[in-house]
């Protein structure tokens, strides 16, 4: 697995909350367990205490995305560095669980965490993955969806750095809203124009 791909863990956690809608999906241990993908051993260590711990890490990860989205790249890096210091990992070479067609190991880098609890393990992987993504592609590749009120986090992998929405659904919704807003403005302008013409006509002397 490419180390930058671990950044998906950060996105997954941040998007369990929709602040503008007042929605929070992290309400139980089972809800938190759904975030783990292939980390079954770590997820077994979850307890009720981890629910609030995950929420705290989520807030810090969202702050990283918010800073990057606002163009404050230095702050985004500082916030991410604080997470890396608090939740360290040890990169290791792995491959015995992945074999090629000849039965040889497919060597790849793996993040080996040494957590005191499940939250620490998840936070370590998410923060390190996000750090690799940021250094590989740039802080401006971390964004928050521009479709109000969504504000989900996303990683921009477009070739021209043009992504503004977390999904096609949000992009479509935003485009439809923008189209309707333009049509309303055109209608209002047309109505104002007709009113002005009638007003002008009523005040213009007629030939007798």
């Amino acid at each position: 697995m490419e180390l930058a791909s671990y950044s998906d863990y950060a996105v997954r956690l941040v998007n369990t909350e929709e602040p503008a809608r007042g929605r929070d999906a992290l309400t139980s241990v089972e809800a938190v367990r759904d975030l783990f993908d292939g980390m079954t051993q770590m997820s077994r260590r979850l307890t009720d205490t981890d629910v609030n711990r995950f929420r705290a890490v989520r807030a810090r990860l969202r702050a990283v995305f918010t800073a990057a989205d606002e163009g404050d790249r230095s702050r985004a890096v500082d916030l991410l560095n604080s997470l890396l210091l608090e939740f360290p990992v040890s990169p290791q070479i792995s491959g015995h669980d992945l074999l090629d067609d000849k039965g040889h190991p497919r060597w790849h880098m793996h993040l080996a965490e040494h957590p005191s609890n499940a939250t620490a393990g998840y936070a370590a992987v998410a923060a390190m993955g996000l750090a690799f993504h940021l250094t590989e592609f740039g802080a401006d590749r971390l964004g928050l969806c521009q479709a109000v009120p969504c504000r989900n986090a996303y990683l921009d992998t477009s070739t021209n750095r043009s992504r503004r929405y977390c999904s096609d659904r949000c992009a479509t919704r935003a485009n439809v809203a923008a189209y309707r807003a333009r049509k309303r403005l055109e209608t209002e302008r047309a109505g104002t124009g007709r009113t002005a013409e009638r007003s002008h006509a009523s005040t213009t002397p007629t030939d007798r």
Side-chain angles (χ1 to χ4, degrees):
M1 177 182 288
E2 295 182 4
L3 294 181
S5 67
Y6 283 103
S7 56
D8 288 338
Y9 287 98
V11 174
R12 195 179 307 157
L13 176 55
V14 171
N15 292 346
T16 59
E17 181 185 31
E18 297 179 86
R21 293 189 174 104
R23 298 175 183 173
D24 188 347
L26 293 185
T27 57
S28 66
V29 171
E30 288 305 317
V32 175
R33 184 171 286 114
D34 288 341
L35 292 170
F36 290 83
D37 179 22
M39 295 192 294
T40 54
Q41 183 175 356
M42 190 191 305
S43 66
R44 293 194 190 101
R45 302 176 59 185
L46 284 168
T47 66
D48 290 335
T49 306
D50 284 298
V51 176
N52 286 332
R53 288 173 177 166
F54 262 77
R55 288 174 175 170
V57 171
R58 179 182 63 190
R60 294 172 66 181
L61 286 171
R62 177 172 283 278
V64 175
F65 279 92
T66 299
D69 187 67
E70 294 174 349
D72 194 343
R73 301 172 185 176
S74 294
R75 177 167 172 73
V77 170
D78 288 342
L79 292 170
L80 189 50
N81 273 335
S82 69
L83 283 164
L84 293 171
L85 288 172
E86 186 173 345
F87 304 108
V89 296
S90 302
Q92 295 181 354
I93 299 174
S94 180
H96 292 293
D97 55 335
L98 294 174
L99 304 178
D100 60 21
D101 54 1
K102 295 182 179 179
H104 299 150
R106 293 182 178 178
W107 303 114
H108 60 278
M109 292 300 295
H110 172 73
L111 297 182
E113 71 288 338
H114 307 286
S116 56
N117 55 69
T119 302
Y122 191 100
V125 171
M128 183 60 76
L130 199 58
F132 273 103
H133 191 95
L134 187 151
T135 54
E136 180 72 17
F137 303 107
D140 57 341
R141 293 289 188 147
L142 279 59
L144 293 175
C145 186
Q146 299 301 302
V148 179
C150 178
R151 303 302 283 168
N152 270 351
Y154 66 83
L155 300 171
D156 186 0
T157 56
S158 63
T159 56
N160 56 356
R161 299 172 183 262
S162 61
R163 185 171 178 178
R164 298 175 58 209
Y165 306 104
C166 68
S167 64
D168 291 340
R169 179 181 179 182
C170 276
T172 299
R173 188 171 72 245
N175 290 333
V176 170
Y179 172 78
R180 289 175 176 172
R182 288 195 300 271
K183 297 302 289 184
R184 282 196 300 269
L185 182 59
E186 291 172 2
T187 300
E188 291 171 359
R189 286 176 176 174
T192 301
R194 287 193 294 270
T195 300
E197 290 175 0
R198 287 196 296 270
S199 176
H200 177 74
S202 64
T203 58
T204 300
T206 58
D207 293 334
R208 296 184 182 276

